[in-house]
Amino acid sequence: MAEFSGETYLWLKALHTISAIAWMAGLLYLPRLFVYHTDAAAGSELSETLKIMERRLFKFIMNPAMIASFLFGGLMLMDVNAPWDQGWLHAKLAFVVLLLAAHMAMGKWQREFAEDRNTRPQKFYRIANEVPTVLMIGIVIFVIVQPF
């Protein structure tokens, strides 16, 4: 456990929020690219362009943002004043685990598209696109409203 000064804690909170926003941007955009990719013929110029976009988004934006989000959030949880006894924190962390699962599933789907092995229809990715949104809404409500 550590005890951060008020200013240090606020910097950690700001960096955590910034990295979480960047991560969410990727989680919301990548499935939309998959929707477009389902209509592209394998080997076509559009398919190859989408492969590059998907890989770069996942590797250079989503992964670093996720790691930074966990790093800064983890540091805040190490503070001696972290609210471990409050239910909203447990609920938020459960939703974060679900976001991580969505991230990992999207990584798998990205690799399948890269290898021209996608078998899922456009509707699947349209629904998958909503999962991070629902989780984000829950996380924001848990953190801001702290209903329990």
Side-chain angles (χ1 to χ4, degrees):
M1 295 304 245
E3 186 165 8
F4 298 112
S5 69
E7 185 176 335
T8 300
Y9 188 84
L10 290 176
W11 275 105
L12 291 173
K13 188 187 254 187
L15 293 169
H16 175 65
T17 302
I18 292 164
S19 56
I21 290 169
W23 185 27
M24 282 304 306
L27 288 167
L28 295 171
Y29 186 47
L30 188 59
R32 178 57 43 193
L33 291 176
F34 295 156
V35 167
Y36 301 140
H37 205 156
T38 58
D39 285 341
S44 68
E45 183 178 344
L46 176 58
S47 177
E48 296 306 310
T49 299
L50 287 167
K51 286 179 188 181
I52 292 167
M53 292 172 67
E54 292 159 358
R55 180 178 51 79
R56 288 179 179 169
L57 176 61
F58 193 77
K59 185 175 181 180
F60 299 116
I61 296 173
M62 291 173 65
N63 281 342
M66 179 195 64
I67 291 166
S69 186
F70 277 100
L71 172 70
F72 297 123
L75 286 170
M76 289 185 343
L77 289 173
M78 290 174 53
D79 188 80
V80 293
N81 297 313
W84 284 106
D85 60 337
Q86 297 182 26
W88 67 265
L89 177 62
H90 299 247
K92 177 209 173 178
L93 293 175
F95 274 41
V96 169
V97 168
L98 294 174
L99 272 182
L100 176 61
H103 179 99
M104 293 169 61
M106 288 182 199
K108 179 179 180 281
W109 303 334
Q110 183 267 318
R111 287 187 301 277
E112 289 173 356
F113 274 111
E115 298 167 358
D116 294 321
R117 294 187 299 111
N118 176 58
T119 58
R120 293 174 189 84
Q122 205 181 68
K123 186 173 182 176
F124 174 85
Y125 296 109
R126 288 184 187 278
I127 293 168
N129 196 187
E130 302 307 320
V131 171
T133 303
V134 171
L135 294 172
M136 176 197 60
I137 290 168
I139 289 169
V140 169
I141 290 171
F142 293 139
V143 172
I144 303 298
V145 179
Q146 298 180 2
F148 46 88

